[in-house]
Amino acid sequence: MRPAVRGGVAIAAVVGAGAVSVAIGRALGRRGAHLRLGDAVPLSGHLDLRLSPRTLLPVAVAVLLVTLLPVAARRLRWPLLLAVAVGAAAAWAVSLALVDGRNALGRPISTGAEYLADVHRVHGLHTFLAGFADHITVGSPGFAWVTHVSGHPPGALLTFVALDRLGLGGPGWAAALCIAAGASAAAAALVAVRAVAGEPAARRAAPFLVTAPTAIWIATSADAWFLGVSAWGIALLAVAAARRDRRGDLLAVAGGLLLSGTIFLSYGLVLLAPIAVAAVLVQRRVRPLVVAAVAVAAVVAVFAGLGFWWLDGLSQTRIRYRQGSASARPYLYFLIANLAVLGLALGPAGVAALARLRRGALAVLPLAALLAIVIADLSGLSKSEVERIWLPFTPWLLAAGAVLPERHRRWWLGAQLAVGLTVQTLIFTNW
């Protein structure tokens, strides 16, 4: 089957899965199933067409991106291209969020179920970590952490506690951190792709790392912070594998520290391991993995010494999961709906590019990410809301955009931007 045909079939399959997911999701809702997503199922949100003068901002940004990104990717010096990728990713994400006004940037992270609601409960690092697992489940003595805090390791809440202690408390600074981190993942992925598959491949992938519909959730979700930390961890490991000197070991330590930090931000991000391992092994190296593993073990030991054992937290979180509405969501439905939502988040270019992948170094990172996604989906612990939960996996899938033909590049970018703008204006998302 020709590559173009494979791409078209993949897009059609995602559209079909999405249509079926919408129909079945609404039918399940009418029958009393507890999906708890709103009427935009399988996305988390509500159908609400919002057209106003504010919509002109993302339209203008989209025109600039389609016009300038392909040229920038070809001609700019490498350091400048990285900076442009970060700036463009941030601009696109913010312009989409501003369709709902200036308060839209901080609104999702300031709800009663989010991390900021529990910042005031943290007094002393040792006391916090030693008692963290005791307050995860509903009915815990004294109090139970709010939904998102209880569903994650303590590093997620500690991030916003640290901001607060630095005098940067509140949803505005929290949103700024998440947007900056999420946008920087575009540069991190470019650095990793360059190390693994060469600079030409990274340059071809650059526009697609900026323009995907994932931008909708980068501007409004704390998972964008997880995305940035994890992406740079993998990027540093990839660069470390390309070196055979002391600096390579230092980069591997730095990558290991960031990835260890990642698993204390979200339990499910241990599934980034296949991507990190692939980024090193494809370069026929093992040493960076050993060095990084030592760094990860050291961080786990530090947390354990301060009173938090990762596996205890995971165990309690699984109990909390069963206490909440997510456990009642039908497994088989979300097995398919999750993938449909992922396809929407990646956009048509991302889906087509994955279908056109061939053997070679460039395919290693996307295929490793697909493996991680399949495991996450089958686990049943990612039933819905994957548009934000799976954000840390998406740049490695979008790197496949490098295989799309140059002559059609602007059309693909236009399609990506159009899907993002359509979703943003048609659906009032919860994140």
Side-chain angles (χ1 to χ4, degrees):
M1 189 182 294
R2 294 170 52 194
V5 175
R6 290 201 307 270
V9 169
I11 292 172
V14 168
V15 172
V20 169
S21 298
V22 170
I24 295 178
R26 291 183 174 179
L28 288 172
R30 288 193 297 269
R31 295 177 183 178
H34 298 286
L35 301 183
R36 298 289 295 277
L37 293 176
D39 59 10
V41 64
L43 287 173
S44 179
H46 299 274
L47 296 175
D48 181 14
L49 179 61
R50 302 170 322 284
L51 293 174
S52 73
R54 289 192 295 265
T55 310
L56 296 176
L57 176 60
V59 170
V61 172
V63 171
L64 288 174
L65 293 179
V66 169
T67 304
L68 300 178
L69 274 181
V71 177
R74 288 195 307 269
R75 298 182 181 178
L76 291 182
R77 291 184 298 109
W78 180 251
L80 186 55
L81 175 59
L82 296 180
V84 167
V86 174
W92 179 231
V94 170
S95 70
L96 286 173
L98 291 178
V99 166
D100 294 318
R102 188 175 59 182
N103 293 333
L105 294 173
R107 173 188 55 79
I109 205 171
S110 60
T111 67
E114 286 280 354
Y115 306 98
L116 298 185
D118 272 341
V119 166
H120 71 283
R121 295 188 184 277
V122 180
H123 303 286
L125 181 62
H126 184 271
T127 301
F128 166 66
L129 290 177
F132 183 82
D134 297 331
H135 299 287
I136 290 176
T137 59
V138 174
S140 297
F143 68 91
W145 301 114
V146 299
T147 302
H148 276 232
V149 174
S150 65
H152 294 78
L157 178 57
L158 277 178
T159 297
F160 302 104
V161 171
L163 278 181
D164 184 72
R165 302 301 187 263
L166 290 171
L168 305 176
W173 287 109
L177 173 69
C178 294
I179 293 167
S184 77
L190 289 177
V191 168
V193 172
R194 185 193 193 205
V196 168
E199 188 170 317
R203 287 180 175 274
R204 293 194 304 272
F208 300 100
L209 288 162
V210 170
T211 56
T214 51
I216 296 169
W217 299 281
I218 285 176
T220 57
S221 166
D223 293 79
W225 166 240
F226 311 162
L227 162 65
V229 175
S230 62
W232 281 107
I234 292 170
L236 290 175
L237 271 185
V239 175
R243 305 181 66 97
R244 284 172 167 77
D245 55 12
R246 184 60 59 84
R247 183 172 293 182
D249 287 343
L250 293 175
L251 289 170
V253 169
L257 291 175
L258 286 177
L259 289 174
S260 63
T262 299
I263 67 172
F264 283 95
L265 293 173
S266 176
Y267 295 108
L269 296 186
V270 293
L271 291 177
L272 289 168
I275 307 172
V277 170
V280 175
L281 293 186
V282 71
Q283 300 182 69
R284 299 182 179 180
R285 299 292 311 283
V286 174
R287 181 182 175 90
L289 291 177
V290 176
V291 173
V294 172
V296 171
V299 172
V300 172
V302 168
F303 270 85
L306 290 171
F308 177 77
W309 180 237
W310 191 88
L311 291 174
D312 287 344
L314 176 60
S315 176
Q316 292 298 104
T317 297
R318 289 175 67 91
I319 295 173
R320 176 67 179 256
Y321 182 83
R322 290 193 293 270
Q323 292 175 329
S325 61
S327 63
R329 290 169 175 163
Y331 173 81
L332 290 177
Y333 170 71
F334 283 105
L335 199 64
I336 303 301
N338 284 348
L339 299 179
V341 169
L342 175 66
L344 176 65
L346 294 176
V351 172
L354 288 171
R356 297 170 68 121
L357 276 176
R358 300 176 180 176
R359 290 182 180 179
L362 178 61
V364 168
L365 295 178
L367 291 178
L370 281 176
L371 172 62
I373 288 289
V374 169
I375 295 172
D377 200 30
L378 292 174
S379 75
L381 296 177
S382 297
K383 290 187 291 187
S384 80
E385 302 175 24
V386 296
E387 60 267 29
R388 63 169 183 83
I389 294 172
W390 287 353
L391 268 180
F393 301 101
T394 55
W396 314 110
L397 298 171
L398 291 167
V403 305
L404 294 174
E406 184 71 31
R407 64 184 181 277
H408 298 147
R409 185 139 303 195
R410 281 198 168 91
W411 289 106
W412 282 120
L413 292 178
Q416 294 288 86
L417 295 161
V419 169
L421 183 57
T422 299
V423 173
Q424 177 63 33
T425 55
L426 184 61
I427 299 174
F428 189 83
T429 62
N430 292 333
W431 314 109

mmCIF file of all heavy atoms in Angstrom, residues 48-70:
data_model
loop_
_atom_site.group_PDB
_atom_site.id
_atom_site.type_symbol
_atom_site.label_atom_id
_atom_site.label_comp_id
_atom_site.label_asym_id
_atom_site.label_seq_id
_atom_site.Cartn_x
_atom_site.Cartn_y
_atom_site.Cartn_z
ATOM 1 N N ASP A 48 -20.143 24.025 22.820
ATOM 2 C CA ASP A 48 -20.460 25.435 23.053
ATOM 3 C C ASP A 48 -19.733 26.272 22.009
ATOM 4 O O ASP A 48 -18.562 26.622 22.178
ATOM 5 C CB ASP A 48 -20.031 25.846 24.467
ATOM 6 C CG ASP A 48 -20.369 27.299 24.770
ATOM 7 O OD1 ASP A 48 -21.153 27.903 24.017
ATOM 8 O OD2 ASP A 48 -19.826 27.825 25.759
ATOM 9 N N LEU A 49 -20.407 26.564 20.905
ATOM 10 C CA LEU A 49 -19.797 27.346 19.835
ATOM 11 C C LEU A 49 -19.552 28.771 20.316
ATOM 12 O O LEU A 49 -20.469 29.461 20.739
ATOM 13 C CB LEU A 49 -20.704 27.359 18.600
ATOM 14 C CG LEU A 49 -20.188 28.162 17.406
ATOM 15 C CD1 LEU A 49 -18.858 27.597 16.906
ATOM 16 C CD2 LEU A 49 -21.217 28.171 16.283
ATOM 17 N N ARG A 50 -18.294 29.210 20.246
ATOM 18 C CA ARG A 50 -17.917 30.536 20.728
ATOM 19 C C ARG A 50 -17.154 31.260 19.623
ATOM 20 O O ARG A 50 -15.989 30.965 19.385
ATOM 21 C CB ARG A 50 -17.046 30.414 21.990
ATOM 22 C CG ARG A 50 -17.796 29.661 23.075
ATOM 23 C CD ARG A 50 -16.994 29.269 24.280
ATOM 24 N NE ARG A 50 -15.639 28.836 24.084
ATOM 25 C CZ ARG A 50 -15.284 27.646 23.622
ATOM 26 N NH1 ARG A 50 -16.201 26.761 23.229
ATOM 27 N NH2 ARG A 50 -14.018 27.311 23.524
ATOM 28 N N LEU A 51 -17.863 32.170 18.965
ATOM 29 C CA LEU A 51 -17.249 33.001 17.931
ATOM 30 C C LEU A 51 -17.337 34.447 18.364
ATOM 31 O O LEU A 51 -18.411 34.937 18.721
ATOM 32 C CB LEU A 51 -17.955 32.800 16.588
ATOM 33 C CG LEU A 51 -17.817 31.417 15.934
ATOM 34 C CD1 LEU A 51 -18.681 31.338 14.693
ATOM 35 C CD2 LEU A 51 -16.354 31.141 15.603
ATOM 36 N N SER A 52 -16.209 35.128 18.343
ATOM 37 C CA SER A 52 -16.157 36.523 18.767
ATOM 38 C C SER A 52 -14.924 37.153 18.139
ATOM 39 O O SER A 52 -14.119 36.450 17.490
ATOM 40 C CB SER A 52 -16.089 36.613 20.295
ATOM 41 O OG SER A 52 -14.799 36.219 20.747
ATOM 42 N N PRO A 53 -14.744 38.442 18.314
ATOM 43 C CA PRO A 53 -13.511 39.068 17.800
ATOM 44 C C PRO A 53 -12.237 38.417 18.332
ATOM 45 O O PRO A 53 -11.188 38.476 17.684
ATOM 46 C CB PRO A 53 -13.637 40.519 18.279
ATOM 47 C CG PRO A 53 -15.111 40.763 18.335
ATOM 48 C CD PRO A 53 -15.690 39.468 18.811
ATOM 49 N N ARG A 54 -12.323 37.764 19.514
ATOM 50 C CA ARG A 54 -11.129 37.110 20.056
ATOM 51 C C ARG A 54 -10.667 35.949 19.182
ATOM 52 O O ARG A 54 -9.500 35.544 19.233
ATOM 53 C CB ARG A 54 -11.412 36.611 21.480
ATOM 54 C CG ARG A 54 -11.544 37.713 22.522
ATOM 55 C CD ARG A 54 -11.522 37.123 23.936
ATOM 56 N NE ARG A 54 -12.676 36.280 24.187
ATOM 57 C CZ ARG A 54 -13.794 36.694 24.775
ATOM 58 N NH1 ARG A 54 -13.905 37.953 25.174
ATOM 59 N NH2 ARG A 54 -14.802 35.856 24.973
ATOM 60 N N THR A 55 -11.591 35.397 18.387
ATOM 61 C CA THR A 55 -11.226 34.281 17.509
ATOM 62 C C THR A 55 -10.234 34.716 16.438
ATOM 63 O O THR A 55 -9.494 33.891 15.888
ATOM 64 C CB THR A 55 -12.490 33.712 16.838
ATOM 65 O OG1 THR A 55 -13.486 33.471 17.833
ATOM 66 C CG2 THR A 55 -12.187 32.411 16.120
ATOM 67 N N LEU A 56 -10.206 36.011 16.143
ATOM 68 C CA LEU A 56 -9.289 36.500 15.112
ATOM 69 C C LEU A 56 -7.830 36.335 15.508
ATOM 70 O O LEU A 56 -6.956 36.218 14.640
ATOM 71 C CB LEU A 56 -9.587 37.978 14.828
ATOM 72 C CG LEU A 56 -10.969 38.282 14.227
ATOM 73 C CD1 LEU A 56 -11.164 39.783 14.080
ATOM 74 C CD2 LEU A 56 -11.125 37.583 12.887
ATOM 75 N N LEU A 57 -7.546 36.320 16.816
ATOM 76 C CA LEU A 57 -6.152 36.179 17.251
ATOM 77 C C LEU A 57 -5.558 34.837 16.831
ATOM 78 O O LEU A 57 -4.508 34.812 16.169
ATOM 79 C CB LEU A 57 -6.051 36.373 18.769
ATOM 80 C CG LEU A 57 -4.651 36.162 19.364
ATOM 81 C CD1 LEU A 57 -3.656 37.133 18.756
ATOM 82 C CD2 LEU A 57 -4.690 36.282 20.880
ATOM 83 N N PRO A 58 -6.175 33.698 17.175
ATOM 84 C CA PRO A 58 -5.588 32.435 16.706
ATOM 85 C C PRO A 58 -5.611 32.282 15.191
ATOM 86 O O PRO A 58 -4.735 31.615 14.633
ATOM 87 C CB PRO A 58 -6.450 31.358 17.393
ATOM 88 C CG PRO A 58 -7.711 32.044 17.773
ATOM 89 C CD PRO A 58 -7.324 33.458 18.070
ATOM 90 N N VAL A 59 -6.577 32.892 14.528
ATOM 91 C CA VAL A 59 -6.581 32.846 13.059
ATOM 92 C C VAL A 59 -5.333 33.544 12.519
ATOM 93 O O VAL A 59 -4.645 33.030 11.626
ATOM 94 C CB VAL A 59 -7.859 33.496 12.496
ATOM 95 C CG1 VAL A 59 -7.740 33.671 10.981
ATOM 96 C CG2 VAL A 59 -9.083 32.657 12.834
ATOM 97 N N ALA A 60 -5.023 34.711 13.079
ATOM 98 C CA ALA A 60 -3.838 35.451 12.638
ATOM 99 C C ALA A 60 -2.561 34.668 12.948
ATOM 100 O O ALA A 60 -1.642 34.591 12.118
ATOM 101 C CB ALA A 60 -3.798 36.823 13.311
ATOM 102 N N VAL A 61 -2.503 34.078 14.142
ATOM 103 C CA VAL A 61 -1.327 33.284 14.510
ATOM 104 C C VAL A 61 -1.189 32.088 13.576
ATOM 105 O O VAL A 61 -0.083 31.753 13.131
ATOM 106 C CB VAL A 61 -1.420 32.827 15.980
ATOM 107 C CG1 VAL A 61 -0.296 31.849 16.311
ATOM 108 C CG2 VAL A 61 -1.359 34.026 16.919
ATOM 109 N N ALA A 62 -2.304 31.451 13.240
ATOM 110 C CA ALA A 62 -2.276 30.290 12.350
ATOM 111 C C ALA A 62 -1.725 30.659 10.978
ATOM 112 O O ALA A 62 -0.915 29.929 10.398
ATOM 113 C CB ALA A 62 -3.670 29.693 12.223
ATOM 114 N N VAL A 63 -2.160 31.798 10.455
ATOM 115 C CA VAL A 63 -1.667 32.247 9.144
ATOM 116 C C VAL A 63 -0.157 32.458 9.187
ATOM 117 O O VAL A 63 0.580 32.046 8.273
ATOM 118 C CB VAL A 63 -2.390 33.539 8.719
ATOM 119 C CG1 VAL A 63 -1.729 34.133 7.481
ATOM 120 C CG2 VAL A 63 -3.869 33.256 8.444
ATOM 121 N N LEU A 64 0.323 33.082 10.252
ATOM 122 C CA LEU A 64 1.762 33.307 10.392
ATOM 123 C C LEU A 64 2.526 31.990 10.482
ATOM 124 O O LEU A 64 3.587 31.828 9.876
ATOM 125 C CB LEU A 64 2.048 34.161 11.630
ATOM 126 C CG LEU A 64 1.661 35.636 11.542
ATOM 127 C CD1 LEU A 64 1.861 36.318 12.889
ATOM 128 C CD2 LEU A 64 2.494 36.330 10.464
ATOM 129 N N LEU A 65 1.977 31.038 11.224
ATOM 130 C CA LEU A 65 2.663 29.762 11.389
ATOM 131 C C LEU A 65 2.742 28.992 10.083
ATOM 132 O O LEU A 65 3.789 28.430 9.741
ATOM 133 C CB LEU A 65 1.953 28.925 12.458
ATOM 134 C CG LEU A 65 2.021 29.455 13.897
ATOM 135 C CD1 LEU A 65 1.251 28.542 14.829
ATOM 136 C CD2 LEU A 65 3.457 29.602 14.358
ATOM 137 N N VAL A 66 1.647 28.953 9.344
ATOM 138 C CA VAL A 66 1.654 28.245 8.061
ATOM 139 C C VAL A 66 2.644 28.893 7.093
ATOM 140 O O VAL A 66 3.335 28.210 6.329
ATOM 141 C CB VAL A 66 0.241 28.225 7.442
ATOM 142 C CG1 VAL A 66 0.288 27.748 5.998
ATOM 143 C CG2 VAL A 66 -0.670 27.323 8.246
ATOM 144 N N THR A 67 2.714 30.196 7.148
ATOM 145 C CA THR A 67 3.578 30.937 6.221
ATOM 146 C C THR A 67 5.051 30.831 6.583
ATOM 147 O O THR A 67 5.908 30.618 5.713
ATOM 148 C CB THR A 67 3.172 32.423 6.188
ATOM 149 O OG1 THR A 67 1.787 32.531 5.848
ATOM 150 C CG2 THR A 67 4.011 33.191 5.177
ATOM 151 N N LEU A 68 5.358 30.955 7.870
ATOM 152 C CA LEU A 68 6.746 31.135 8.286
ATOM 153 C C LEU A 68 7.435 29.876 8.799
ATOM 154 O O LEU A 68 8.652 29.747 8.674
ATOM 155 C CB LEU A 68 6.823 32.218 9.365
ATOM 156 C CG LEU A 68 6.319 33.613 8.947
ATOM 157 C CD1 LEU A 68 6.412 34.575 10.119
ATOM 158 C CD2 LEU A 68 7.117 34.125 7.760
ATOM 159 N N LEU A 69 6.684 28.960 9.416
ATOM 160 C CA LEU A 69 7.347 27.811 10.042
ATOM 161 C C LEU A 69 8.146 26.947 9.058
ATOM 162 O O LEU A 69 9.284 26.561 9.365
ATOM 163 C CB LEU A 69 6.328 26.952 10.781
ATOM 164 C CG LEU A 69 6.011 27.361 12.221
ATOM 165 C CD1 LEU A 69 5.000 26.394 12.823
ATOM 166 C CD2 LEU A 69 7.268 27.393 13.083
ATOM 167 N N PRO A 70 7.606 26.606 7.873
ATOM 168 C CA PRO A 70 8.409 25.792 6.956
ATOM 169 C C PRO A 70 9.711 26.474 6.540
ATOM 170 O O PRO A 70 10.747 25.815 6.417
ATOM 171 C CB PRO A 70 7.470 25.600 5.752
ATOM 172 C CG PRO A 70 6.096 25.749 6.320
ATOM 173 C CD PRO A 70 6.228 26.812 7.360
#
